[in-house]
Amino acid sequence: MKIKTILFSLLSLQLAAQGTVADYKRADYIKESTKYKVYHEPLHVQWQGSQVWYKVQTAEGEAFYKVDPASKKKETLFSTSSLITQLENAVHQKVNKHEIPLENLKMEGEGVSFEAFGKTWSFTDNQLTDKGNINAPQRPERYWGSLRDEREGNPIPSPDKKWKAYIKNSNVYISKVDDPKSEKALSFDGSPGEYYSAFLSWSPDSKYIYSTRIRPGGKRVLTLIESSPSDQLQPKLHTRDYLKPGDALNQKYPVVFDIEKNKTYEVSPELIANQYSLSFPQWRADSKALLFEYNQRGHQNYHVLRLDTENGKVTEVIKESSPTFFHYSGKKFLHYAQKTEELIWMSERDGWNHLYLYDAKSGKVKNQITKGKWVVRKVIKVDEASRRIIFEGSGREKGQDPYFIQYYSVSFDGSDFRVLTNENGNHRATFSPDFNYFVDIWGRLDQAPETVLRSTADGKILMHLERADIKDLLKTGWVMPEVFVTTGRDDSTDIWGMIIRPSNFDPKKKYPVIEYIYAGPHDSFVPKNFVTDSRGDLHQLAELGFIVVQIDGMGTSNRSKAFHDVCWKNLKDSGFPDRMKWIKTAAKKYHYMDISRVGIFGNSAGGQSSAGALLHHPDFYKVAVSSSGCHDNRMDKIWWNEQWMGYPIGPHYEESSNVTHAHKLQGKLLLILGEMDDNVDPSSTFQLINGIIKANKWVDFLFVPGMGHSLGGDYGEHRRRDFFVKHLIGVDPPLWEGHIKTAP
């Protein structure tokens, strides 16, 4: 009994040293003190003609440099101290030397022009000149989900300027530009129930017009109530177009009108059945054919079709099929080399994301351009003249983090593969307009970046431009994250993540573990560049007495197709078997990680996952904070959820729903929601709460008036920290400023 009492007393003292007022103050200090402390890392790189300029942070403030690759000369772009003094005198406002508000900066002769404080300025020969107010037209903001009405639109002139095409009475008409009486109907079967699209496309020779006959689908409206608007007392009602999985979609039937021969060519509906989408056409320069892309509902079949305008023949040039999904929203790439009638296409058909060369007439693969157990991340440039491709790839360089981006070039036939970068770090390149040079910034999460100027021909370093200085950053007490890797659920695939410790870390103490999760299959998320923080103020959270981790588990992107497919019709998996194994392995190495006290938080898809952790893995995860969660994939936007969960809607949607499993809730859960969230339907969170209430379980809820899709803002961040301190460390959080006390 005496031994147990001593152990309990020691544990109490240990816990008392975490989650204190001093810890909260240090967390705020870390955030503020680390600002502007990474010196000489380019924050903006902009090519202008044959020269490039960029800005860096220095101890004295921002500095701007320009580089001439031809002469290998680097010089200061202008005197920032002089510009700040003159700008402050002109606008009668203080200017932060670390955040000089220069927009649209351009080199002009020996000086620069820019926009600031609502005006355009020039700064030449150390003299600031006011060039007048900015009169740029303000474009109305467009909601991302707004449906475009294709029934009406402005007349579309032909390339030769002789004709105009337009919609009238739901049909396609043309008339000569200078002769309204020449009006002629090209279609007659349009009606309000099945109308022709006003998004018309002329062939380059002005002899053909492309349109689609549309059978309209359904419409769904998301309704939001803004309880506390700033401009009136009474609440406001807001609506958004918001299609959800399973909703009926417009079906489009392509039609080509031959004006000279008075013929009409239609694409057989069987070739484009059950569409998710059809792309706008891409015409051959000689107008003999056009290409368009067809994404079948469910995203398992994606086709590129060719229509010959001389006879209306439709050829299936590319047919991409997958038993799971074709990642159209993140890995689709198509380049049409018209002179040689070739297509460059991106596909994961061999299990890895690579490039293929197609014959655009026959639809046959001429050759696979890239191959191997690594992935193409992004095509930068297709040079038809030299028949070369510049692209980003990852996972090719042995012994490196497989997510690190490197740059390569290769010939169309797959030969003459050139490695443009290979240093052990994540590379970010900005290419000159002629693609002869590029500025390369490379580093790692645990290594400050270097910046060099390279030749695109062979990757040779021409100039060393910058080496980041982090001495002042480290003086603040900020602790560099650790990159940690171990195998996942299959005991063979590497799972990569990071570990963040507090600045007053003591290996003799025991620390609860908090995982920041985002498992969205559209990308990977653990930072690879040198950053002083990640989303969610992870370093600040660690200061309160936690070890904070972030992991990319199976089901996320940028690895093999098999790695990615884990998410298919199974978003509730969220890579948890990999994540839990990763944390357990880390805890075996670092005994101060107390995995009897593991918390988790995330936003949006991460909100779904973090709440799901307490539903499906309560033996491991004890406390969760979930913000803006899409807790049922049937409630969320159509494009994201059908991409991973498929179509038609089936019982697998219900199986992945947090609402379905609400009765299983164990542990402590805080839900955060903004009332104006128009990214994820707020009712998704309310339905989860309803399920928890019906199960007679306890849940904490923070509803933020006026806030959109977010982690909860500053207030939500404070509540999240308090929640973890109370339920993982076991102490009552300190009083807030203004004597606001955390709710019990």
Side-chain angles (χ1 to χ4, degrees):
M1 179 65 70
K2 187 175 181 181
I3 294 175
K4 288 183 178 180
T5 303
I6 292 172
L7 289 175
F8 181 79
S9 299
L10 288 173
L11 180 61
S12 298
L13 287 172
Q14 180 176 291
L15 294 180
Q18 295 168 297
T20 65
V21 172
D23 294 320
Y24 276 79
K25 288 182 177 180
R26 192 176 59 257
D28 291 337
Y29 164 78
I30 282 289
K31 182 173 183 178
E32 292 303 315
S33 66
T34 56
K35 280 185 178 180
Y36 320 125
K37 291 297 192 298
V38 179
Y39 305 144
H40 295 285
E41 177 189 10
L43 304 174
H44 183 87
V45 179
Q46 182 68 53
W47 284 91
Q48 195 172 327
S50 60
Q51 294 186 320
V52 62
W53 67 266
Y54 59 87
K55 69 177 179 180
V56 297
Q57 197 66 245
T58 73
E60 292 73 36
E62 288 184 335
F64 293 73
Y65 297 98
K66 66 177 178 180
V67 177
D68 183 354
S71 63
K72 295 184 176 60
K73 182 179 180 182
K74 169 188 165 183
E75 58 184 332
T76 302
L77 187 56
F78 55 82
S79 168
T80 52
S81 59
S82 178
L83 183 143
I84 288 173
T85 299
Q86 295 183 52
L87 191 58
E88 287 180 338
N89 291 335
V91 300
H92 307 293
Q93 293 187 44
K94 290 294 293 181
V95 173
N96 183 347
K97 66 181 181 179
H98 293 288
E99 292 184 23
I100 310 174
L102 309 184
E103 300 292 334
N104 298 321
L105 190 146
K106 295 181 178 65
M107 293 184 288
E108 288 189 351
E110 296 302 313
V112 296
S113 66
F114 60 88
E115 296 173 357
F117 299 103
K119 290 176 174 288
T120 300
W121 310 81
S122 67
F123 191 63
T124 306
D125 295 330
N126 210 34
Q127 181 63 47
L128 181 68
T129 303
D130 183 345
K131 307 295 285 188
N133 294 332
I134 300 171
N135 296 315
Q138 296 295 317
R139 292 185 178 182
E141 289 188 12
R142 184 176 181 271
Y143 175 59
W144 61 266
S146 295
L147 300 177
R148 302 178 70 181
D149 188 352
E150 298 188 34
R151 289 172 295 184
E152 297 180 357
N154 295 324
I156 308 298
S158 61
D160 64 9
K161 308 301 181 185
K162 295 180 180 179
W163 297 88
K164 59 181 178 180
Y166 49 93
I167 298 298
K168 181 178 178 181
N169 299 324
S170 302
N171 283 291
V172 180
Y173 281 74
I174 59 169
S175 66
K176 292 182 179 179
V177 171
D178 56 356
D179 184 7
K181 294 183 179 180
S182 64
E183 181 178 84
K184 176 183 178 181
L186 299 182
S187 69
F188 301 91
D189 55 345
S191 68
E194 191 165 318
Y195 52 86
Y196 280 86
S197 171
F199 298 168
L200 305 166
S201 178
W202 285 92
S203 62
D205 64 5
S206 302
K207 294 181 180 179
Y208 306 95
I209 298 174
Y210 172 95
S211 183
T212 54
R213 190 172 64 254
I214 298 177
R215 180 174 296 170
K219 184 175 182 179
R220 186 186 294 273
V221 174
L222 174 66
T223 303
L224 304 169
I225 297 177
E226 185 182 7
S227 65
S228 312
S230 59
D231 59 344
Q232 65 182 48
L233 174 65
Q234 298 301 325
K236 289 182 179 180
L237 184 68
H238 299 263
T239 59
R240 305 281 191 271
D241 292 330
Y242 196 94
L243 291 174
K244 295 184 178 183
D247 285 348
L249 297 177
N250 290 354
Q251 297 298 291
K252 300 182 178 183
Y253 306 104
V255 180
V256 172
F257 302 99
D258 185 330
I259 296 174
E260 291 187 348
K261 297 179 181 178
N262 199 29
K263 288 185 176 181
T264 302
Y265 301 119
E266 298 192 28
V267 176
S268 171
E270 286 75 22
L271 289 175
I272 50 173
N274 195 20
Q275 306 156 24
Y276 179 80
S277 65
L278 288 183
S279 73
F280 207 61
Q282 190 173 167
W283 286 93
R284 270 185 56 85
D286 60 12
S287 303
K288 291 183 178 180
L290 59 82
L291 295 178
F292 65 92
E293 301 166 45
Y294 155 55
N295 187 1
Q296 190 179 69
R297 190 85 180 262
H299 311 302
Q300 292 177 285
N301 293 288
Y302 197 101
H303 301 179
V304 178
L305 303 174
R306 171 192 174 105
L307 187 150
D308 291 312
T309 53
E310 293 180 345
N311 53 25
K313 179 183 177 182
V314 178
T315 305
E316 190 176 71
V317 181
I318 297 176
K319 182 178 181 180
E320 192 69 40
S321 297
S322 172
T324 55
F325 56 86
F326 173 66
H327 190 181
Y328 81 96
S329 60
K331 292 178 182 171
K332 183 189 76 66
F333 177 81
L334 175 66
H335 179 87
Y336 187 9
Q338 295 201 17
K339 291 182 179 179
T340 56
E341 278 288 276
E342 292 171 309
L343 299 175
I344 295 170
W345 177 250
M346 187 181 285
S347 171
E348 292 184 283
R349 65 188 59 176
D350 74 349
W352 302 84
N353 201 42
H354 283 298
L355 299 174
Y356 294 78
L357 184 67
Y358 271 82
D359 184 310
K361 286 186 176 180
S362 67
K364 293 181 179 179
V365 177
K366 300 179 74 171
N367 59 267
Q368 185 171 348
I369 300 171
T370 61
K371 61 182 64 177
K373 292 184 177 182
W374 54 278
V375 297
V376 173
R377 296 283 291 270
K378 179 182 179 181
V379 174
I380 302 297
K381 171 68 175 179
V382 176
D383 189 334
E384 295 180 24
S386 66
R387 295 183 65 79
R388 291 196 66 77
I389 305 166
I390 303 169
F391 66 95
E392 295 178 354
S394 61
R396 184 180 181 275
E397 305 308 310
K398 302 302 180 185
Q400 294 188 9
D401 184 327
Y403 295 95
F404 283 168
I405 290 175
Q406 302 283 3
Y407 288 83
Y408 308 97
S409 72
V410 65
S411 294
F412 281 16
D413 63 3
S415 66
D416 194 17
F417 191 98
R418 301 178 192 174
V419 177
L420 303 182
T421 66
N422 65 1
E423 293 85 357
N424 187 10
N426 196 53
H427 292 252
R428 292 169 286 161
T430 307
F431 288 83
S432 61
D434 59 10
F435 286 90
N436 288 333
Y437 307 98
F438 65 99
V439 173
D440 175 27
I441 306 171
W442 71 275
R444 298 195 299 265
L445 183 65
D446 56 0
Q447 180 178 308
E450 295 185 36
T451 305
V452 296
L453 177 71
R454 294 182 185 265
S455 165
T456 307
D458 54 12
K460 180 180 179 182
I461 295 176
L462 304 176
M463 294 179 67
H464 289 269
L465 300 177
E466 304 288 344
R467 184 186 295 272
D469 177 355
I470 61 170
K471 290 193 294 292
D472 283 355
L473 172 66
L474 297 177
K475 289 177 182 177
T476 66
W478 178 86
V479 178
M480 193 177 296
E482 176 189 349
V483 176
F484 189 81
V485 59
T486 187
T487 55
R489 68 186 78 181
D490 60 1
D491 295 324
S492 61
T493 304
D494 285 344
I495 302 297
W496 291 73
M498 70 173 182
I499 299 172
I500 296 176
R501 300 170 177 84
S503 61
N504 64 346
F505 169 71
D506 181 351
K508 295 179 182 179
K509 287 186 177 181
K510 280 284 189 177
Y511 292 86
V513 178
I514 297 176
E515 178 183 356
Y516 169 52
I517 187 171
Y518 193 90
H522 55 279
D523 207 344
S524 53
F525 305 97
V526 177
K528 300 302 171 183
N529 298 320
F530 186 86
V531 290
T532 56
D533 210 338
S534 180
R535 189 176 183 184
D537 295 323
L538 303 188
H539 282 271
Q540 286 184 274
L541 185 58
E543 290 301 314
L544 303 184
F546 303 107
I547 300 294
V548 181
V549 302
Q550 188 176 355
I551 308 155
D552 280 320
M554 291 186 186
T556 52
S557 190
N558 301 323
R559 299 286 288 277
S560 69
K561 178 65 169 155
F563 189 102
H564 202 182
D565 280 347
V566 169
C567 74
W568 175 238
K569 294 186 176 181
N570 188 28
L571 284 180
K572 74 177 174 63
D573 179 275
S574 297
F576 279 125
D578 312 301
R579 297 170 187 278
M580 292 186 292
K581 186 172 183 283
W582 189 98
I583 294 172
K584 289 175 182 177
T585 303
K588 287 179 181 178
K589 181 177 180 180
Y590 303 121
H591 297 291
Y592 47 78
M593 293 176 64
D594 182 357
I595 57 172
S596 69
R597 296 179 290 157
V598 179
I600 187 170
F601 79 100
N603 184 66
S604 195
Q608 178 180 9
S609 298
S610 54
L614 299 189
L615 305 177
H616 305 297
H617 306 284
D619 291 341
F620 188 78
Y621 295 99
K622 307 301 183 183
V623 182
V625 180
S626 164
S627 55
S628 304
C630 44
H631 298 290
D632 189 314
N633 300 107
R634 296 167 295 186
M635 291 290 294
D636 194 26
K637 49 200 166 290
I638 185 173
W639 76 266
W640 195 88
N641 294 272
E642 283 195 10
Q643 168 78 98
W644 319 116
M645 293 296 287
Y647 176 88
I649 308 304
H652 57 285
Y653 271 85
E654 184 175 357
E655 180 60 26
S656 279
S657 167
N658 285 343
V659 179
T660 303
H661 300 280
H663 64 282
K664 299 178 182 178
L665 177 64
Q666 296 183 48
K668 300 294 184 179
L669 174 62
L670 168 62
L671 297 172
I672 300 175
L673 178 66
E675 71 176 356
M676 292 302 295
D677 189 343
D678 58 9
N679 187 322
V680 173
D681 187 340
S683 291
S684 186
T685 296
F686 289 126
Q687 289 182 3
L688 175 59
I689 293 172
N690 186 43
I692 294 172
I693 290 173
K694 287 182 177 179
N696 201 32
K697 298 292 184 75
W698 182 276
V699 63
D700 287 83
F701 179 45
L702 170 61
F703 190 53
V704 186
M707 183 161 285
H709 191 70
S710 76
L711 286 88
D714 291 340
Y715 186 87
E717 177 69 25
H718 202 154
R719 285 288 303 274
R720 176 166 47 252
R721 294 174 188 173
D722 283 358
F723 199 75
F724 284 132
V725 165
K726 183 176 181 64
H727 296 296
L728 284 179
I729 296 178
V731 301
D732 288 328
L735 295 176
W736 289 21
E737 287 186 2
H739 307 288
I740 300 173
K741 196 170 185 177
T742 304

